[in-house]
Amino acid sequence: NMDKPKIVTCTAPVNIAVIKYWGKRNEELILPINSSLSVTLHQDQLKTTTTVATSRSFQEDRIWLNGKEEDITHPRLQSCLREIRRLARKRRNDGDPSLDSTGLSHKVHICSVNNFPTAAGLASSAAGFACLVYTLARVFGVEGELSGIARQGSGSACRSMYGGFVQWIMGEKEDGKDSLAQQVEPQTHWPELRILVVVASAERKPVGSTSGMQTSVQTSCLLKHRAQSVVPERMVEMIDAVRRKDFPAFAELTMKDSNQFHATCLDTYPPIFYLSSVSHQVISLVHRYNKHYGETRVAYTFDAGPNAVIFTLEQHVPEFVQAVQHFFPPDTNGEDFIKGLPVSHAALS
Ligand code: PMV
């Protein structure tokens, strides 16, 4: 029955970059100035759930984010819809007999919800666009490489198309066909690795990543240096540390890369501040903690917001959480103080 709506629901987890993506060489295709590497969280942790319905009776494409209808004409959203429909049409023209009969001309209704604060620098766009592209692909019977489409929704989204440790290879081609995500190791590779999120603020970030990157590319010479001379070697070292499960090497590269990313934000003119005083206190705490034990047991990383993402090994979780709770007691009265404490112990397996 062609009038019966077809409905598909999928989830996609957040990914946390340990080598950061910051800066585009092509705004429209979303091609980065450097490669990046991230860890995708476990499916049941921070994630987006998207339902796509399609029916002959729908008059137009529509989208709801966290229950509120949003503008479907958003250019990145349009890129994803267009690319999925293009692939579906191509498969049909190639005469793939396994294709289902969902009408390509049918309009879609999309509902997407996050189980964490949107746009607080917790990679909500990454999980969101990865989930959207994956769900649309299922609806229209498209298979195969999809990270290149997710990338056109939000750069970091291409990395959420795979689990475990994932690199986004910047590529060289002008058309972006080789700017894709690739799994380095599956999530089962390093089962002792743990991720904690220290929520310093659940508010929306003041400067979005799109405009922040533009200003950085235009004004920061540190960013140019980073992309050309720092990240290429760092990618090799990071992949090696992950493969060897060398926590101190992984942790030190992660912290240095987060620090350099925020230094390029400071080098941007006018400067961009994503870290708050609470973030700085978390950074100091991590360094004091590691120094106390005479080894690197814990690492921090921060994206475009003040919330800390902590990497550690399973055996150190209770002790580190205790240290955080000691220095940042929950429910402190101060208005600008930490609002919540570790919200999630995201296991990787
Ligand atoms: O994909 P976007 O536009 O949300 O940019 C993400 C940028 C960072 O989160 C700061 C770094 C990264 O690699 O995820």
Side-chain angles (χ1 to χ4, degrees), residues 95-135:
D96 187 323
S98 72
L99 260 182
D100 85 30
S101 60
T102 303
L104 279 172
S105 55
H106 289 189
K107 301 298 182 192
V108 291
H109 285 184
I110 305 161
C111 267
S112 193
V113 290
N114 294 331
N115 68 348
F116 57 92
T118 302
L122 280 176
S124 56
S125 69
F129 277 105
C131 202
L132 173 72
V133 168
Y134 192 79
T135 315

Side-chain angles (χ1 to χ4, degrees), residues 44-57:
D44 55 7
Q45 301 293 338
L46 308 180
K47 65 177 178 193
T48 299
T49 302
T50 301
T51 299
V52 174
T54 168
S55 163
R56 193 160 66 171
S57 64

